[in-house]
Amino acid sequence: RKTNMTCRLFSSAATKQLSWHRFISSYSCLFAENAQAWSSAHNNNRHMAPTLLLPPHQHSYSTTTSQTTATVFKPLLKRTLESVGPSVLPKLVSFDKVINDSDLQIDKKALEFSDQLRSLINDHSTKHNITTPINPESFIKDELANIQKGILESINVSHPVLQQAASYFFQKSGKKFRPMIVLLLSKAVTEHSRQLEEDFEGSQQDAATQSTPTTLDINLIKKHHQKLAEITEIIHVASLIHDDIVDQSDMRRGVESLHKKMGSKVAVLAGDFLLARASINLSKMGNLPVIEAISTAIEHLAHGEILQMAKKGRDDIFDAYMQTIFFKTSSLISNSCKSAALLTHADQRIVEASYQFGKHIGIAYQLIDDVLDFTESGTLLGKPSLGADLRLGIATSPVLFASLEYPELEPMIRRKFSRNGDVDRAWELVLHTNSIEKSRDLAITHCKKAVESLMILQDSPYRTALIALVLRIMERNK
């Protein structure tokens, strides 16, 4: 089946007269675990498949039918797979180890982190001559202003109903939390690369080991970063539309949810349409590792929703909840941050640090959201609150922490608070414990880890702005 898929891929590439470089990239995307693995296997085994290196015009095949192309490439495909071996064949996405044991533990040292963070921000603000308190948006004001316009252009469609549904949540200017993270991190990583380039200038040996963008690349990289921020927000909104249908929520971002406004069928299709447009924009970048990262985040959204709906056993309930947070909230942020670093041609250490920053800031953001569900009104949050998650049958971190002191919560959690009085009793027990404080402490722990991930980057105003954004997340009340 994979052989047939590849032959059709080859036929399509030849018929559309794609460049030979993109032709080979498409081949490696399907069969290599990643581009680096393919490159390594190809370099080690180039004598086994020399035909692959010939330009298209030197192959005697017709571009008129896929059958002719299949006849030519099946033997080549067989020889190539035999030469590279099974190690570079694609693996199924693993959902294990996205949450480690340390992600479930509160760091007692992190409890003093707010004061340390303020001190760090003040020191760097003085160094970079930045006015305090820092407003992270001011560093990317122009880029953020163009996000709305870029998204509306990306999702423009001729059908009036689909256009109205797809653009429903983009008519108002939201927080743009995810685009802000992507744009700030993009600038921080770009500045990091620029400083390294300056530091190693004059040393050819050292400079050769650095992966830094050239002047010619900068404009294209900026455009890709801007498009990545737009894609991230489009995917996020699509997930909100689908979540509201599953949860039967009436409000979103202070307005009536889309399925209440236009019906569930239109809402489902609007969410699908947004994901499709995001995928099209993503493919236009032509960066296979970035396509893989964002596609994985989309897959995680579905996995997280199913995980949230599933019944959990007593022993794995907190771990399952933290995995749900990662899949539904953190994965899109972490993979977008990873993609920002990849688009900047950063080395693997920076790519991994960017991913970890996104992972921890995403988890922290959701844990603070859990706290606000018990402490703030729906008016501030722009959605039903004060126990809204309980009424949806969702046990969030304050409830799970409370269950450690009150085991009577465990059967309520398993039956999703479906009996009369379950919601009120769970609410009462949460307020009789320090579980809300524990949830906030765990969020602060992840904020600390996020900042630690950033410290691998060279000092810059953009890194300082990201640290200020972390502080804002820790202290937010809406």
Side-chain angles (χ1 to χ4, degrees):
R1 190 168 61 201
K2 289 176 181 176
T3 301
N4 290 335
M5 287 171 61
T6 307
C7 292
R8 289 197 297 273
L9 174 65
F10 285 147
S11 175
S12 173
T15 302
K16 295 178 181 178
Q17 296 183 329
L18 298 178
S19 68
W20 189 243
H21 173 73
R22 290 175 63 192
F23 193 25
I24 298 303
S25 295
S26 299
Y27 181 88
S28 64
C29 177
L30 184 60
F31 284 97
E33 182 174 355
N34 53 52
Q36 290 78 14
W38 167 259
S39 177
S40 174
H42 173 65
N43 289 335
N44 292 334
N45 301 279
R46 64 179 67 186
H47 62 282
M48 299 296 291
T51 315
L52 196 60
L53 301 177
L54 295 177
H57 67 272
Q58 294 186 27
H59 287 291
S60 57
Y61 59 84
S62 168
T63 61
T64 57
T65 65
S66 60
Q67 182 178 3
T68 305
T69 308
T71 303
V72 173
F73 279 102
K74 276 184 180 179
L76 172 60
L77 174 62
K78 184 175 184 297
R79 294 202 311 273
T80 304
L81 289 179
E82 287 173 351
S83 69
V84 300
S87 61
V88 297
L89 293 179
K91 297 178 181 178
L92 294 174
V93 174
S94 173
F95 294 120
D96 298 331
K97 303 300 181 185
V98 294
I99 293 295
N100 303 315
D101 290 342
S102 61
D103 294 328
L104 309 175
Q105 298 168 1
I106 295 173
D107 182 355
K108 293 181 179 179
K109 294 181 180 179
L111 304 186
E112 304 169 355
F113 188 56
S114 295
D115 294 335
Q116 296 172 3
L117 209 53
R118 287 190 188 89
S119 177
L120 180 65
I121 292 170
N122 288 333
D123 290 344
H124 287 281
S125 298
T126 302
K127 177 179 177 181
H128 296 296
N129 216 8
I130 303 172
T131 303
T132 55
I134 293 178
N135 179 16
E137 291 93 337
S138 65
F139 292 82
I140 48 173
K141 183 169 57 176
D142 293 339
E143 290 87 347
L144 280 178
N146 290 325
I147 287 287
Q148 193 92 341
K149 178 183 176 183
I151 289 176
L152 290 175
E153 288 177 353
S154 293
I155 64 173
N156 186 46
V157 63
S158 59
H159 197 287
V161 174
L162 186 55
Q163 175 66 29
Q164 181 186 356
S167 61
Y168 182 69
F169 286 119
F170 296 114
Q171 298 301 330
K172 288 180 62 178
S173 181
K175 295 189 291 285
K176 295 188 178 67
F177 169 66
R178 288 157 186 81
M180 196 187 312
I181 287 179
V182 171
L183 292 169
L184 281 174
L185 184 70
S186 297
K187 286 185 174 291
V189 174
T190 302
E191 178 63 17
H192 168 86
S193 298
R194 188 192 66 77
Q195 290 186 30
L196 284 183
E197 194 170 25
E198 287 184 354
D199 291 344
F200 287 99
E201 192 173 18
S203 173
Q204 292 183 355
Q205 181 179 358
D206 288 335
T209 66
Q210 302 301 314
S211 179
T212 56
T214 65
T215 304
L216 294 175
D217 292 331
I218 287 296
N219 289 334
L220 180 61
I221 289 172
K222 286 182 178 179
K223 289 180 181 178
H224 281 173
H225 283 155
Q226 183 75 17
K227 187 57 65 176
L228 175 64
E230 294 170 10
I231 290 169
T232 302
E233 184 68 2
I234 291 172
I235 293 171
H236 171 58
V237 169
S239 73
L240 296 183
I241 292 172
H242 286 160
D243 281 358
D244 286 345
I245 298 169
V246 172
D247 298 337
Q248 288 296 297
S249 296
D250 295 336
M251 285 179 61
R252 173 68 65 180
R253 294 186 170 181
V255 297
E256 193 176 21
S257 57
L258 183 59
H259 74 96
K260 287 291 183 182
K261 180 81 172 178
M262 303 186 70
S264 294
K265 292 181 180 179
V266 172
V268 168
L269 295 173
D272 292 346
F273 171 76
L274 291 176
L275 290 175
R277 281 295 170 92
S279 299
I280 290 170
N281 290 338
L282 185 63
S283 67
K284 288 179 179 178
M285 291 185 185
N287 188 308
L288 297 179
V290 170
I291 292 171
E292 180 183 2
I294 301 300
S295 299
T296 299
I298 295 174
E299 178 183 5
H300 283 172
L301 291 170
H303 187 79
E305 192 63 46
I306 293 296
L307 186 62
Q308 181 171 281
M309 294 164 61
K311 292 184 178 180
K312 293 102 179 166
R314 176 178 179 178
D315 295 333
D316 63 353
I317 192 166
F318 202 94
D319 181 65
Y321 177 67
M322 291 295 288
Q323 287 189 54
T324 301
I325 286 181
F326 174 81
F327 289 133
K328 291 192 62 178
T329 302
S330 179
S331 177
L332 179 58
I333 299 173
S334 58
N335 279 293
S336 295
C337 289
K338 174 182 178 180
S339 298
L342 287 168
L343 289 169
T344 317
H345 310 309
D347 63 43
Q348 188 55 42
R349 293 181 313 118
I350 302 302
V351 171
E352 178 60 23
S354 299
Y355 177 87
Q356 291 299 327
F357 169 75
K359 170 187 173 180
H360 292 298
I361 205 65
I363 291 173
Y365 189 89
Q366 184 57 52
L367 289 170
I368 294 295
D369 228 36
D370 293 348
V371 169
L372 296 178
D373 190 51
F374 283 89
T375 60
E376 298 297 335
S377 70
T379 303
L380 281 174
L381 295 178
K383 59 185 179 181
S385 193
L386 293 178
D389 289 328
L390 286 175
R391 291 193 292 273
L392 292 172
I394 300 171
T396 56
S397 53
V399 178
L400 298 177
F401 276 121
S403 69
L404 299 177
E405 295 184 43
Y406 291 97
E408 68 177 278
L409 278 168
E410 293 173 5
M412 296 185 205
I413 294 170
R414 286 195 290 272
R415 63 177 177 257
K416 298 182 180 294
F417 312 102
S418 57
R419 292 184 185 175
N420 288 337
D422 277 358
V423 170
D424 292 338
R425 180 57 178 162
W427 177 275
E428 180 184 349
L429 292 175
V430 166
L431 297 183
H432 273 81
T433 67
N434 64 346
S435 60
I436 293 176
E437 289 78 10
K438 284 184 177 179
S439 297
R440 191 179 290 278
D441 291 345
L442 184 58
I444 294 173
T445 298
H446 283 279
C447 285
K448 182 173 183 286
K449 291 180 178 181
V451 172
E452 288 171 350
S453 299
L454 284 178
M455 300 316 287
I456 191 175
L457 297 176
Q458 297 287 313
D459 185 18
S460 71
Y462 303 112
R463 192 186 74 171
T464 303
L466 278 169
I467 295 172
L469 184 59
V470 173
L471 181 62
R472 178 189 292 184
I473 289 169
M474 286 169 51
E475 298 179 342
R476 76 185 184 98
N477 62 358
K478 61 180 180 178

